[in-house]
Amino acid sequence: MDEDTDTETGTAGDADPDPHGGGTASRLDVLADRAGTWLARSAAAPARHTGAVAADRFDRMAWRDTYEQSPALRELADDLGEHHAHTADLLTDVFLAAYKTAPRLREPAELEPSRLVNHRLVAALLESPDFAELHRETAGDPYAAAMAVLAQGTALRRMLEDSRPARDRDERAERARREAEDAADAVAEALGQAAGEDGTVPGPAADAVRRAVREADAAGRRAASDAARSLAVAVPGVRAAARGAVAKSAAAAREETALMRAWGVGSGELERMPFDERARLAERLRTGRLAEWAELIGRFRQMAEGERARKVENATGELIGVTLGDDLSRVIPSELANLGLPELRAMFAARYAAGELMLYDSQGEQATGRGAVIACVDTSHSMYEAGPGGITREAWAKACALALLDQARHAGRDFVGIVFSAADRLRVFRFPADRPAGLARTLDFAETFLGGGTSYERPLSAAGELLEAEFDDAARTRGDIVMLTDDDCGVTEAWMRSWNEAKRRLGFRVFGVGVGSPRVAAAGSVLEALCDNLRSVEDFTDVHAAADLFRVI
């Protein structure tokens, strides 16, 4: 029996001898029915995606903008692209997985087969135990998501190398799929050319349609088989590599967030910052002189904030008895009871007018400063020495000074940082209350280290002159000077007399901190003679050693 007759396909009786010879004629509707599957596939081939993570146009715009602003991302893309296919799509997927609030992976059947490896790699990243922690830092933040991609760059390179066999299988499946689509197009073309006016198809044309359908059937079977094999191919080690990549990326995101928070950079400020500026800032914070002490700086600022909450002018504190006065917020209950009796209300009013109501008496710490806060930070050679926890004397002193800067700004007071060492080495950093502090200026202050010996007269004279100028310009007195040093050095009698006169005239206070050197704050030291309030700090891991400063300044 001829294999091309319709009897073979269960359509006996539909074929007629070809009046023109050369084969068996067939009706057009019979051939169309046989080719229907391939006609539908040719007419409406489903669109395949190249991205494993579903994204809208705004997500894609965020990626394009970030990619254009980041030389590091472009360098990574070029590096991976030299050795692997479709890595641009992979980096896009890794970014979107970190950036989108609720990332969703497409089904494998929705993707071009050549992107199935990307799908596996991104799925492994999303399934990693540390991904949720990473995602908390990166969701909605294109900069943080880009940093996550870069932190995973080495692992992605290794995962792509391990995925080469699977990638080859995917490429074969992709070729088979395209052959099947071409075969479907061939069926449609053959049927279109075979159509006759009377509804019959001449034998040679019908034979061409049947051959096209057989070839399409074979191509479809190959495509389905290759696609199944492709999806079944495992990528050894990909899950372990993904776990390591996500853990590393999460740690980097945590570190940068803590670093920004320690230096007082809020999330809102970061979101408004251009990408390149934010990258430069992060690099400076990571590599600056005090980068390793960021955690200490952050703890100091948190401690100061807590102490600030306790510090209120004329705040009530520990109850110590009963006194007389007219403060209705402290009236004792028996006095208030008099208001409930009409005949005693007049007596209550008279005692209130005379300031003779019985009140709770309390004792609390009061802040009296109103002028500038000036932190004089010793940066002589000895301040570079490390103490407990490996923290240097300089790091502790600078962390304290930065917390004092926060304190001054919260109170609406000017702040001045004076970095000093020997008599000929001094730098002054001014932070007026009516202007933003500026992070670059703050970092300059924190990172300045002069070296050399120690002189008290030069920095304290500079501080006194600043308070004098403030008094002349704004008639403000009652400034506060904090001296942070690890050395005790002499001053002349003439200087001491002028210093005491300036204190009396301007009403400023001087607080001293002996950093890592008890003898500096010992009885009879020069620093004791200069200061109204003095303490010594030996444990540099203890940020509460100077807590009282932040309650009274």
Side-chain angles (χ1 to χ4, degrees):
M1 181 183 292
D2 188 341
E3 65 177 3
D4 287 336
T5 63
D6 290 321
T7 304
E8 181 184 342
T9 60
T11 58
D14 292 327
D16 298 305
D18 183 0
H20 304 288
T24 303
S26 182
R27 293 212 315 269
L28 180 61
D29 58 343
V30 174
L31 289 176
D33 182 64
R34 183 174 180 182
T37 299
W38 300 105
L39 290 174
R41 184 172 297 187
S42 175
R48 300 291 182 121
H49 297 281
T50 58
V53 178
D56 58 31
R57 63 189 182 92
F58 297 106
D59 298 327
R60 291 189 289 272
M61 284 172 58
W63 163 248
R64 285 196 299 270
D65 291 344
T66 305
Y67 184 81
E68 290 172 2
Q69 294 178 56
S70 173
L73 278 179
R74 296 195 297 274
E75 183 178 343
L76 176 61
D78 291 342
D79 182 37
L80 296 179
E82 287 182 5
H83 308 285
H84 306 280
H86 313 305
T87 53
D89 292 328
L90 175 61
L91 293 184
T92 305
D93 285 331
V94 176
F95 172 86
L96 292 173
Y99 174 71
K100 286 179 65 65
T101 304
R104 179 183 68 83
L105 275 180
R106 301 184 192 277
E107 293 298 323
E110 299 179 68
L111 295 176
E112 296 279 358
S114 58
R115 306 309 197 276
L116 289 177
V117 161
N118 290 358
H119 187 280
R120 294 185 186 94
L121 301 188
V122 178
L125 295 174
L126 289 171
E127 293 165 3
S128 299
D130 293 306
F131 182 79
E133 182 181 358
L134 170 65
H135 195 243
R136 281 194 293 272
E137 303 291 347
T138 60
D141 186 341
Y143 172 86
M147 293 301 104
V149 174
L150 294 173
Q152 296 173 77
T154 301
L156 289 174
R157 188 178 294 106
R158 184 170 65 252
M159 293 161 73
L160 286 167
E161 287 292 342
D162 294 341
S163 300
R164 281 190 184 278
R167 178 80 71 185
D168 293 341
R169 176 70 72 179
D170 292 344
E171 294 291 353
R172 286 196 293 273
E174 171 73 358
R175 288 195 294 272
R177 183 186 68 81
R178 288 178 180 169
E179 289 173 1
E181 290 180 353
D182 291 343
D185 292 340
V187 170
E189 183 179 355
L191 191 61
Q193 294 176 353
E197 293 181 0
D198 59 355
T200 62
V201 180
D207 292 342
V209 172
R210 295 188 188 98
R211 280 194 301 273
V213 171
R214 285 200 307 273
E215 290 171 2
D217 287 340
R221 286 192 295 273
R222 286 195 301 273
S225 175
D226 284 348
R229 292 193 188 100
S230 176
L231 289 172
V233 172
V235 182
V238 68
R239 293 189 182 277
R243 283 195 298 272
V246 173
K248 177 182 177 182
S249 186
R254 271 196 318 272
E255 178 184 348
E256 182 158 317
T257 299
L259 199 59
M260 295 293 182
R261 189 179 298 120
W263 285 97
V265 185
S267 57
E269 183 179 355
L270 288 175
E271 290 171 3
R272 294 189 298 270
M273 198 176 292
F275 185 95
D276 54 348
E277 181 181 341
R278 185 170 171 182
R280 287 196 301 270
L281 172 61
E283 180 64 19
R284 183 174 182 184
L285 294 183
R286 279 193 297 267
T287 59
R289 292 190 61 255
L290 296 182
E292 60 182 309
W293 314 126
E295 191 268 341
L296 170 70
I297 295 169
R299 286 195 295 120
F300 235 114
R301 285 179 140 159
Q302 289 174 359
M303 178 275 293
E305 183 177 2
E307 294 301 325
R308 189 160 55 241
R310 299 175 55 186
K311 177 180 72 68
V312 180
E313 185 80 14
N314 297 320
T316 56
E318 178 185 2
L319 292 177
I320 59 174
V322 176
T323 187
L324 299 179
D326 59 359
D327 186 351
L328 295 178
S329 67
R330 295 189 288 136
V331 174
I332 66 173
S334 61
E335 287 279 26
L336 290 175
N338 292 334
L339 289 175
L341 300 173
E343 60 270 21
L344 296 179
R345 289 175 186 169
M347 182 184 299
F348 181 94
R351 294 175 63 186
Y352 172 66
E356 295 179 352
L357 293 174
M358 287 191 292
L359 313 175
Y360 284 121
D361 194 10
S362 64
Q363 178 176 284
E365 294 170 309
Q366 298 181 8
T368 59
R370 284 294 175 269
V373 177
I374 302 177
C376 299
V377 183
D378 185 356
T379 59
S380 58
H381 285 314
S382 57
M383 289 290 286
Y384 200 66
E385 294 179 12
I391 300 172
T392 65
R393 298 175 179 183
E394 179 210 7
W396 193 95
K398 292 284 183 63
C400 183
L402 290 171
L404 287 169
L405 168 59
D406 291 347
Q407 190 85 348
R409 299 198 73 76
H410 184 269
R413 300 170 66 183
D414 291 349
F415 177 83
V416 181
I418 297 179
V419 179
F420 72 94
S421 59
D424 60 341
R425 299 185 182 183
L426 181 129
R427 286 195 64 186
V428 177
F429 298 85
R430 301 189 186 200
F431 299 88
D434 59 354
R435 278 180 270 167
L439 185 57
R441 183 76 170 160
T442 303
L443 289 171
D444 288 342
F445 165 55
E447 294 176 350
T448 297
F449 189 86
L450 302 177
T454 304
S455 167
Y456 281 1
E457 291 187 7
R458 180 78 190 283
L460 290 175
S461 293
E465 290 168 4
L466 288 165
L467 293 176
E468 183 87 47
E470 183 180 39
F471 175 75
D472 293 340
D473 293 342
R476 275 200 300 268
T477 57
R478 298 161 63 192
D480 291 313
I481 299 173
V482 181
M483 186 77 166
L484 300 127
T485 181
D486 71 339
D487 197 7
D488 197 37
C489 62
V491 296
T492 66
E493 290 185 10
W495 183 89
M496 193 69 175
R497 283 195 298 271
S498 65
W499 173 253
N500 288 331
E501 171 58 25
K503 282 185 65 178
R504 183 194 62 76
R505 186 175 68 259
L506 300 173
F508 61 78
R509 300 175 297 179
V510 182
F511 299 84
V513 183
V515 185
S517 182
R519 65 180 178 81
V520 174
S525 68
V526 174
L527 192 60
E528 184 197 32
L530 290 170
C531 296
D532 305 295
N533 183 304
L534 185 60
R535 79 227 356 98
S536 176
V537 176
E538 296 183 56
D539 182 0
F540 299 156
T541 64
D542 181 13
V543 300
H544 293 279
D548 62 313
L549 283 177
F550 299 93
R551 293 196 295 272
V552 296
I553 290 181

